[in-house]
Amino acid sequence: MFLCKKFAVPINRGEVTQSWGNRKYYCGVIVDPPEREWKDIVHSTNELVTVVEGKLGIIIKGEELVLEPGDEVFIPNISCHSVKSIHNATT
């Protein structure tokens, strides 16, 4: 399973930034409207995703997950994945 950690809700962005920085990851923000979908994405580097608000559906190597605020998921490099905002407001 790729879900590896939860942050306390409400999310403290500084805590996420520090945690990711300690693991050599960059922390940025992406805001998706309801139903926004990213299909068949492949990155050359490992990726972490944490939901601050809303809800995401994600498929990694055929494994379907639902991420809610505080959830963190690890996406290994060169892993085909799809992400969809499944919340009725922005995620």
Side-chain angles (χ1 to χ4, degrees):
M1 183 170 213
F2 301 98
L3 190 61
C4 57
K5 186 175 180 178
K6 285 188 127 181
F7 290 98
V9 178
I11 301 298
N12 177 326
R13 185 162 178 217
E15 179 185 347
V16 175
T17 300
Q18 181 177 2
S19 174
W20 287 11
N22 290 343
R23 294 180 276 164
K24 308 296 186 217
Y25 286 88
Y26 165 77
C27 186
V29 175
I30 297 173
V31 178
D32 285 327
E35 301 298 316
R36 173 64 166 113
E37 190 167 10
W38 303 86
K39 290 186 176 185
D40 301 327
I41 306 164
V42 178
H43 301 286
S44 61
T45 59
N46 294 329
E47 181 179 11
L48 294 174
V49 174
T50 294
V51 174
V52 174
E53 60 185 54
K55 193 182 279 191
L56 283 179
I58 189 165
I59 301 171
I60 307 168
K61 294 184 174 183
E63 184 175 339
E64 296 183 34
L65 302 168
V66 174
L67 280 71
E68 297 186 359
D71 289 344
E72 178 185 271
V73 68
F74 172 76
I75 305 170
N77 67 332
I78 312 182
S79 295
C80 186
H81 60 285
S82 297
V83 179
K84 182 176 182 179
S85 175
I86 56 174
H87 188 63
N88 60 359
T90 58
T91 299

